[in-house]
């Protein structure tokens, strides 16, 4: 058994899978945040792990960068392994001028220049939206814990090094909060397969101020965000 990109056995994944882009972050979360985590797949060095958080089963797996890569893993997890909740744990570049480094952006919607959701939707514009239960649970928990959180639209770009120098202004004019590269794809596939998805992104750099997280801030900030998400949706 297995899929072209995942070698786990049926039942190896929990209902909820955290999806960082970086496979090393997935291993780090498995080793330092979860209890009793075991590796369940490692095709192309993309590790997937299942352990527990406060006694509840949960999995974590890297997706690689960009909608095409994240869509492969997300689709196989939902379609072949019965995963119900896909939660992207990532970073975004800040667009809104009042965002600070470390703020958490909950992607209520994901705009995009990718064609994947038009491919799914006969060329029409699909509103790529988060699961409301996941979104409200994380937003509520963040507010309760006094964590700075913003809920709104992100932009999932295909090209990290895009050709249009005015893109940031265009996004800001439509009140996009941050830019990243996966949310719209995950939301589209979740809709197609009847699953739930949420992208939770810490602001790691700001496209207007050019402020940037240090590697230590990135590590610590993302670890705190992962614990917040787990408390909100797994142990709740
Ligand atoms: N662009 C795209 N994705 C990102 C960025 C960015 O500036 N920062 C973090 N993820």
């Amino acid at each position: 058994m297995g899929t072209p990109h995942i070698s786990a056995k049926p039942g190896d994944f929990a209902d909820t899978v955290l999806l960082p882009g970086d496979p090393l972050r997935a291993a780090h979360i498995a080793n330092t945040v979860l209890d009793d985590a075991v590796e369940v797949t490692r095709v192309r060095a993309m590790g997937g792990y299942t352990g527990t958080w406060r006694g509840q089963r949960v999995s974590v797996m890297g997706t690689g960068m960009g909608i095409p890569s994240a869509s492969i893993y997300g689709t196989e997890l939902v379609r072949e392994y019965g995963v119900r909740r896909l939660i992207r744990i990532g970073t975004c570049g800040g667009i809104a001028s009042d965002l600070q480094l470390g703020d958490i952006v909950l992607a209520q919607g994901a705009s995009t220049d990718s064609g994947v959701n038009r491919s799914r939707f006969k060329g029409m514009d699909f509103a790529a939206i988060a699961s409301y239960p996941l979104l409200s649970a994380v937003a509520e928990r963040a507010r309760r814990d006094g964590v700075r959180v913003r809920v709104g639209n992100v932009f999932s770009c295909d090209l990290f090094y895009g050709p249009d120098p005015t893109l940031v202004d265009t996004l800001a004019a439509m009140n996009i909060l941050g830019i990243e590269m996966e949310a719209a794809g995950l939301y589209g596939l979740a809709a197609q397969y009847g699953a739930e998805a949420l992208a939770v992104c810490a602001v790691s750099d700001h496209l207007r101020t050019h402020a940037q997280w240090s590697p230590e801030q990135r590590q610590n900030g993302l670890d705190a965000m992962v614990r917040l998400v787990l408390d909100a949706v797994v142990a709740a």
Side-chain angles (χ1 to χ4, degrees):
M1 155 68 186
T3 67
H5 310 94
I6 302 177
S7 59
K9 298 189 297 303
D12 276 352
F13 282 99
D15 278 2
T16 301
V17 183
L18 303 186
L19 299 170
D22 179 356
L24 294 179
R25 178 154 301 281
H28 171 81
I29 292 168
N31 292 330
T32 67
V33 178
L34 301 186
D35 291 322
D36 306 320
V38 294
E39 185 178 279
V40 296
T41 179
R42 197 175 176 72
V43 178
R44 292 177 185 240
M46 197 63 85
Y49 311 83
T50 297
T52 61
W53 172 257
R54 302 196 199 283
Q56 303 293 314
R57 217 164 160 253
V58 62
S59 299
V60 56
M61 182 169 184
T63 63
M65 289 175 279
I67 289 174
S69 183
S71 299
I72 288 172
Y73 296 107
T75 301
E76 292 182 3
L77 286 169
V78 169
R79 213 170 59 175
E80 313 300 334
Y81 289 95
V83 170
R84 304 306 310 149
R85 305 198 293 184
L86 301 171
I87 306 179
R88 166 163 154 66
I89 297 290
T91 58
C92 66
I95 301 285
S97 54
D98 59 344
L99 278 179
Q100 298 173 14
L101 292 183
D103 284 355
I104 292 176
V105 172
L106 301 181
Q108 180 179 19
S111 302
T112 188
D113 56 3
S114 157
V116 292
N117 290 333
R118 287 188 177 170
S119 299
R120 292 191 163 95
F121 204 44
K122 294 197 171 172
M124 297 184 286
D125 285 340
F126 177 76
I129 56 169
S131 148
Y132 182 74
L134 291 178
L135 175 71
S136 58
V138 176
E140 174 56 29
R141 181 78 202 196
R143 294 220 168 82
R144 189 140 53 97
D145 290 359
V147 172
R148 281 175 59 95
V149 68
R150 291 284 297 278
V151 178
N153 215 335
V154 300
F155 188 78
S156 305
C157 61
D158 267 348
L159 292 173
F160 186 89
Y161 300 107
D164 177 7
T166 67
L167 178 64
V168 172
D169 292 333
T170 305
L171 301 182
M174 289 298 277
N175 286 300
I176 299 281
L177 298 175
I179 184 166
E180 54 82 71
M181 301 186 72
E182 292 84 14
L186 290 176
Y187 290 2
L189 79 87
Q192 182 179 349
Y193 294 105
E196 294 185 72
L198 174 67
V200 184
C201 297
V203 177
S204 60
D205 53 276
H206 203 291
L207 276 76
R208 290 206 180 277
T209 64
H210 304 292
Q212 235 181 325
W213 258 357
S214 68
E216 295 86 343
Q217 284 172 315
R218 178 179 282 264
Q219 180 90 311
N220 296 336
L222 288 178
D223 282 358
M225 190 173 87
V226 166
R227 291 188 165 88
L228 173 89
V229 169
L230 288 167
D231 276 339
V233 306
V234 176

